[in-house]
Amino acid sequence: MNEVVGIDLGTTNSLVGTVVDGRVRLFPDAHGEVLLPSVVGTDERGGIVVGRAARNRRALDPNGTVVSIKRKMGTEVRVQVGTNALSPTEVSALLLGALIDRAEAALGSRPRRAIITVPAFFDDAQRQATRDAGEIAGLLVERLVNEPTAAAVAHQTGGEERVLVYDLGGGTFDVSVLERD
């Protein structure tokens, strides 16, 4: 399969989609939800869970549940997920794996290539950690795109324009001015 998926690996929520016949198609979970809470934790047996299940278990195990890991990308910090000490890259790889599982369920085969959005302020270490997370999840990361740039591309009107993009994400606040000609 040569399908390329786009992934918004968000601080609070993440999602995955692709372009089909010129239109964006987002991939939902089994409950029809396109947003995946960017949360990783453990279930009652100690197994790792991602997304809604992890968010729901957070009240029972707040110290073993990881939220907002994106803020720690590119650092050497370790976080506790149950009995596992994981890097931010490894936690992000779990989130990416869950997103790719959704895409596989919808497409019938597992995507191997991805474009992932990152905050405009991410430095080289944070960008490399995001690429590494994609590789751990089994992806060839074709490109990292700044979140405001991705928003401006989605806004395309077809002509020359100057666009002011506010990215008011769960963990970021970016403002970018883009000029298209």
Side-chain angles (χ1 to χ4, degrees):
M1 152 153 226
N2 206 20
E3 190 83 37
V4 177
V5 294
I7 296 173
D8 179 4
L9 184 60
T11 305
T12 306
N13 292 294
S14 298
L15 56 85
V16 60
T18 195
V19 176
V20 177
D21 297 327
R23 302 198 67 135
V24 174
R25 178 178 173 202
L26 300 177
F27 302 122
D29 64 12
H31 305 285
E33 298 290 327
V34 294
L35 291 178
L36 173 78
S38 298
V39 182
V40 175
T42 57
D43 62 18
E44 55 280 343
R45 288 179 253 122
I48 292 181
V49 291
V50 176
R52 182 191 312 196
R55 185 186 63 199
N56 292 345
R57 295 260 319 149
R58 186 174 181 204
L60 299 172
D61 185 15
N63 295 326
T65 305
V66 179
V67 297
S68 301
I69 197 64
K70 185 171 163 179
R71 294 178 180 174
K72 295 182 169 105
M73 289 297 281
T75 69
E76 297 300 317
V77 73
R78 305 293 282 186
V79 294
Q80 205 63 34
V81 179
T83 60
N84 304 297
L86 302 176
S87 70
T89 300
E90 292 167 323
V91 173
S92 293
L94 292 168
L95 293 166
L96 290 169
L99 292 168
I100 293 304
D101 288 346
R102 289 179 176 197
E104 180 178 18
L107 296 170
S109 60
R110 194 161 187 86
R112 299 287 178 212
R113 300 167 51 219
I115 297 170
I116 302 174
T117 63
V118 294
F121 65 80
F122 258 26
D123 63 22
D124 289 341
Q126 292 166 308
R127 290 172 188 274
Q128 186 59 51
T130 304
R131 283 187 178 280
D132 293 345
E135 289 177 18
I136 292 167
L139 294 168
L140 171 62
V141 179
E142 296 281 344
R143 176 172 288 163
L144 299 177
V145 177
N146 291 341
E147 291 162 349
T149 303
V153 168
H155 169 74
Q156 289 182 19
T157 60
E160 290 184 24
E161 62 185 346
R162 187 172 297 146
V163 180
L164 177 66
V165 179
Y166 290 91
D167 178 2
L168 302 171
T172 58
F173 176 58
D174 289 328
V175 179
S176 299
V177 177
L178 301 152
E179 192 166 344
R180 187 182 354 247
D181 56 8

